[in-house]
Amino acid sequence: MHRNNIARSGGRASSARPRLTEVAELAGVSYQTVSRVLNDQPNVRPATRRRVLEAMEQLGYAPNSAARTLASGRSLTLGVVCYDTALYGPATALIGFEQAARAAGYSVNIVSVETLTQSAILDAATRLAQQGVSGIGIISPAVSIGDAFAHMPPHIPVVSLWGPADGAIPRVVVDEAHGARLATEHLLALGHRSVSIVVGPEGHIGPDVRMRSWRETLAAHAVSPPPVLHGDWSAQSGYAAGLALADDAEVSAVFVTSDQMALGVLAALHARGRRVPDDVSVVGFDDLPEAAFFIPALTTIRQDFNQIGRRAAGILLDAPQPPAQGKNAPLVVPVTLMHRASTAPPSKLR
Amino acid sequence: MHRNNIARSGGRASSARPRLTEVAELAGVSYQTVSRVLNDQPNVRPATRRRVLEAMEQLGYAPNSAARTLASGRSLTLGVVCYDTALYGPATALIGFEQAARAAGYSVNIVSVETLTQSAILDAATRLAQQGVSGIGIISPAVSIGDAFAHMPPHIPVVSLWGPADGAIPRVVVDEAHGARLATEHLLALGHRSVSIVVGPEGHIGPDVRMRSWRETLAAHAVSPPPVLHGDWSAQSGYAAGLALADDAEVSAVFVTSDQMALGVLAALHARGRRVPDDVSVVGFDDLPEAAFFIPALTTIRQDFNQIGRRAAGILLDAPQPPAQGKNAPLVVPVTLMHRASTAPPSKLR
DNA sequence: CGAGTTTCGTCAATCGTTTAAGTTGGCACC
DNA sequence: GGTGCCAACTTAAACGATTGACGAAACTCG
């Protein structure tokens, strides 16, 4: 004997975690049978199964997952690459992902990336792959990560949340286009002659789609689009954009593509003495829990972040084999307009 | 032979993950030596080490972590129990935790709990323990979870973030008491005769400490404390509290123990026509990135969420053996006052 | 150049499972 | 009452590493 396990070698029930063989012993069967019960395979008599389960219960047995994955090749673990998960949306999606994974008996490993570059994401995903996860979710509102996954560790299904369409990996997105249309049409329907826009960082997927849809909606109403303002999701950047908007007397309606930025816009408009919604109407995007308590309460587009996470996990769980990763249609989560106090008809119409 | 590995049995470099023996073969050493390099044990000549590392590089070798933990008993994985990680603070702490863990070569497993009860937390921690994590962080602003860890899976170090003092587990907290004192004294120093308070949910640790400190600070200035209002961290609950405050003409200064609730308070005061800071001064707690863009910009107590997470991971990493879990002093992260526009001297003094 | 270290290889056991293949027992059937 | 068969169970070989003991070759010194 080379490694003496003191804890176990001494007499009976040790404090260490019981093994499969101990369960078998207690139940009076072979360890094989216990394994059968564990992986609920057929050919175990109900009475035997019951005895085994009782023995497990009694010993407080839980299978050693390392041994399990080693022997079986299946890890029962999913990985998530997080970026900026401190934002409400991604954080909520992460929780949703975990909930769905846990419900299916999987655990969740996370790796965060500081920057949203292809190589950083690829590194993170590789880490997870080496950890042996059986699927990877990527919370990545960036445009071009598709290529990165050409060199991904082979045979691990991947799904992106708010991901780009360029890659060949499946993705879960919200109906960005519809949301932008809802927002823009809402403002037009109120009587605004035009709708300005504050979009997220260039190169991110969501903003791009929202902007395109906004432009199309304006075009459908024969409105030529005003200049586009860019932000980086932060309230700070929204404030900067808001100052620019405030100085333009033509602006009577703004679609801000995130609630955080909308908060900044509201602050800037207030600082410049432009009243909302009297002088300027503002629509956000996300429907943060706080949005209803902005001053004034923010009209915004709600997206169900938790569901995005759940759906993403679901895709991985349904695809233990890498799915047909064609240019398959993304899973689209619907959005709805929450009408609150920050939007009203332009003053001249009242 | 019982299980034929088709992929590997065919000729040379297969697409499957290389094994330790393959590295050894390529480097022209025994697998023993490779293992020595891997666990950087002594007695390997630099030149040999280099050859081995090159071979690893060339094959893209990464150790199979399941096999590793099985054989060694070390898992190189930490677990985190998350509650409401969609909130900015906890989410940021989670990221910090992961960053620190990753820097030390550990990966991070998460389990979320829907409710913050002892049993839910214990279940979650047990799940993680069964997963084989070598340390557990608990993001738990609740009071009484200490007992739960009496029956925890043995010999796994645990640390709580914003955790209660009652248990015997180490914890990382912010200087709640100092923060509350800073906030209260700031308002008193501005000339307010009294300071009202809106605290978080009863039974949570942070709120309790903050409230006690607020009370002591008032006492030190010979001010008898006004009635306490309770919220649940949400802006919604802050709004409700704010309405109550707005109706009380005596109130000229409020310390709201979270920025989210402060947002609700601001909205309620605004809705009731009470101006901030002219009629009422408001101080928050947390310093969310958005706080500077509330209307008006919120004076608040900043805490470094990321650092809390990092520190928590650090404690676990320094304690591969369960630490001396006495009533040890918690690791206290400092706070600072961010003075902004929501606080000013009471109107009668101006 | 011999003694004492390093360095490295061989051999072997082990971690706690899964899983293929072999063995037993009992029942039905003709 | 043998034959056949299936369910139920046992045996044995992996999975991919870690770890220990031990010995042989290769260095380092005095």
Side-chain angles (χ1 to χ4, degrees):
Chain A
M1 196 189 320
H2 85 290
R3 209 193 301 173
N4 60 336
N5 189 327
I6 304 169
R8 205 186 307 284
S9 62
R12 49 165 177 222
S14 65
S15 71
R17 286 177 61 177
R19 281 177 320 212
L20 192 139
T21 55
E22 298 174 31
V23 174
E25 227 166 272
L26 181 62
V29 298
S30 75
Y31 66 86
Q32 216 331 358
T33 303
V34 179
S35 174
R36 280 220 176 80
V37 171
L38 219 51
N39 303 289
D40 43 31
Q41 286 168 4
N43 296 353
V44 176
R45 206 159 20 193
T48 314
R49 178 182 305 272
R50 201 161 34 69
R51 275 219 317 285
V52 171
L53 291 174
E54 274 167 13
M56 287 185 186
E57 174 74 17
Q58 193 175 327
L59 290 170
Y61 171 82
N64 177 317
S65 53
R68 234 175 170 187
T69 65
L70 178 57
S72 69
R74 290 174 261 106
S75 72
L76 295 184
T77 297
L78 297 182
V80 179
V81 177
C82 314
Y83 170 68
D84 228 351
T85 315
L87 292 180
Y88 175 78
T92 305
L94 174 61
I95 297 295
F97 187 99
E98 191 277 338
Q99 289 170 337
R102 176 155 39 90
Y106 279 69
S107 64
V108 174
N109 241 269
I110 63 171
V111 174
S112 70
V113 295
E114 253 93 316
T115 61
L116 202 49
T117 61
Q118 271 199 220
S119 72
I121 291 178
L122 188 59
D123 282 356
T126 305
R127 276 187 70 86
L128 288 170
Q130 290 176 352
Q131 264 288 308
V133 300
S134 40
I136 297 178
I138 301 185
I139 299 180
S140 65
V143 155
S144 55
I145 58 167
D147 304 348
F149 288 85
H151 343 110
M152 260 298 288
H155 308 309
I156 297 185
V158 175
V159 62
S160 75
L161 290 76
W162 291 283
D166 61 340
I169 68 177
R171 57 210 180 92
V172 178
V173 298
V174 292
D175 200 340
E176 312 270 9
H178 186 228
R181 194 179 327 118
L182 281 177
T184 311
E185 279 180 344
H186 170 66
L187 291 167
L188 291 174
L190 286 170
H192 293 277
R193 294 243 298 273
S194 182
V195 176
S196 294
I197 191 170
V198 179
V199 301
E202 287 190 88
H204 280 217
I205 178 71
D208 287 357
V209 175
R210 293 175 199 175
M211 184 169 65
R212 197 172 327 128
S213 175
W214 160 80
R215 194 167 268 142
E216 286 168 7
T217 306
L218 288 184
H221 289 75
V223 176
S224 66
V228 171
L229 294 172
H230 277 275
D232 63 4
W233 297 136
S234 72
Q236 169 87 58
S237 70
Y239 190 86
L243 290 180
L245 291 167
D247 293 343
D248 184 345
E250 292 292 300
V251 172
S252 78
V254 189
F255 169 37
V256 187
T257 61
S258 89
D259 284 1
Q260 291 210 338
M261 292 196 295
L263 179 67
V265 168
L266 292 178
L269 292 173
H270 182 260
R272 283 288 190 269
R274 302 208 58 182
R275 293 163 305 163
V276 178
D278 311 64
D279 300 329
V280 181
S281 283
V282 177
V283 177
F285 202 112
D286 284 351
D287 194 26
L288 302 185
E290 291 80 32
F293 301 94
F294 289 180
I295 299 173
L298 187 67
T299 294
T300 190
I301 306 296
R302 163 174 289 181
Q303 55 176 320
D304 187 338
F305 294 103
N306 184 282
Q307 190 183 152
I308 292 171
R310 301 191 97 97
R311 291 296 189 83
I315 286 180
L316 295 177
L317 294 168
D318 289 345
Q321 305 310 323
Q325 293 188 342
K327 300 271 178 203
N328 37 16
L331 185 48
V332 178
V333 176
V335 297
T336 56
L337 175 76
M338 308 299 292
H339 187 179
R340 299 205 185 94
S342 71
T343 50
S347 50
K348 61 182 174 303
L349 286 187
R350 294 196 287 182
Chain B
M1 196 188 319
H2 85 289
R3 211 189 302 174
N4 60 337
N5 189 328
I6 304 169
R8 204 186 308 284
S9 62
R12 53 175 171 214
S14 66
S15 70
R17 285 178 62 177
R19 280 181 319 215
L20 191 137
T21 55
E22 298 174 31
V23 174
E25 228 166 89
L26 181 62
V29 298
S30 74
Y31 69 88
Q32 229 312 6
T33 303
V34 178
S35 175
R36 283 209 177 92
V37 171
L38 218 52
N39 304 290
D40 43 30
Q41 286 167 5
N43 297 351
V44 175
R45 202 156 27 185
T48 313
R49 180 183 302 274
R50 201 161 33 69
R51 275 220 317 286
V52 171
L53 290 175
E54 273 167 13
M56 287 184 186
E57 174 75 18
Q58 194 176 326
L59 290 170
Y61 171 81
N64 178 317
S65 54
R68 230 173 173 191
T69 65
L70 179 56
S72 69
R74 290 175 263 105
S75 73
L76 293 185
T77 298
L78 297 181
V80 178
V81 177
C82 313
Y83 170 67
D84 228 352
T85 316
L87 292 179
Y88 175 79
T92 305
L94 175 61
I95 297 294
F97 187 99
E98 190 276 339
Q99 289 170 338
R102 176 155 41 90
Y106 278 69
S107 64
V108 174
N109 241 270
I110 62 170
V111 174
S112 69
V113 296
E114 254 94 315
T115 60
L116 202 49
T117 62
Q118 271 199 219
S119 72
I121 291 178
L122 188 59
D123 281 357
T126 304
R127 277 186 70 86
L128 288 169
Q130 289 177 354
Q131 264 288 307
V133 300
S134 40
I136 298 179
I138 301 185
I139 299 180
S140 64
V143 154
S144 55
I145 58 168
D147 305 347
F149 287 85
H151 344 110
M152 259 298 289
H155 307 310
I156 297 185
V158 176
V159 61
S160 76
L161 290 77
W162 291 282
D166 62 340
I169 68 177
R171 58 211 180 91
V172 178
V173 298
V174 293
D175 200 340
E176 312 270 10
H178 186 228
R181 193 178 328 118
L182 281 177
T184 310
E185 279 180 345
H186 169 66
L187 291 167
L188 291 174
L190 286 170
H192 293 277
R193 293 242 299 274
S194 181
V195 176
S196 295
I197 192 170
V198 179
V199 301
E202 287 189 89
H204 281 218
I205 178 70
D208 287 357
V209 176
R210 292 174 200 175
M211 185 170 64
R212 197 171 326 127
S213 176
W214 159 81
R215 194 167 269 142
E216 286 167 8
T217 307
L218 288 184
H221 289 75
V223 176
S224 66
V228 172
L229 295 171
H230 278 276
D232 63 4
W233 297 136
S234 73
Q236 169 87 58
S237 69
Y239 190 86
L243 289 180
L245 291 167
D247 293 343
D248 184 345
E250 293 291 302
V251 172
S252 78
V254 189
F255 169 36
V256 187
T257 61
S258 91
D259 285 1
Q260 292 210 338
M261 292 196 295
L263 179 67
V265 168
L266 292 178
L269 292 173
H270 181 259
R272 283 287 190 270
R274 303 207 58 181
R275 293 163 304 162
V276 178
D278 311 65
D279 301 328
V280 181
S281 283
V282 177
V283 177
F285 203 112
D286 284 350
D287 194 26
L288 301 185
E290 291 80 31
F293 302 93
F294 288 0
I295 299 173
L298 186 69
T299 294
T300 189
I301 306 296
R302 163 175 289 183
Q303 55 177 320
D304 187 339
F305 294 103
N306 184 283
Q307 190 183 151
I308 292 171
R310 302 190 96 97
R311 291 294 189 84
I315 286 180
L316 295 178
L317 295 168
D318 289 345
Q321 305 311 323
Q325 293 186 344
K327 300 271 178 203
N328 38 15
L331 185 50
V332 178
V333 175
V335 296
T336 56
L337 175 76
M338 309 298 294
H339 188 179
R340 299 204 185 93
S342 70
T343 50
S347 49
K348 60 183 172 302
L349 287 186
R350 293 193 289 183

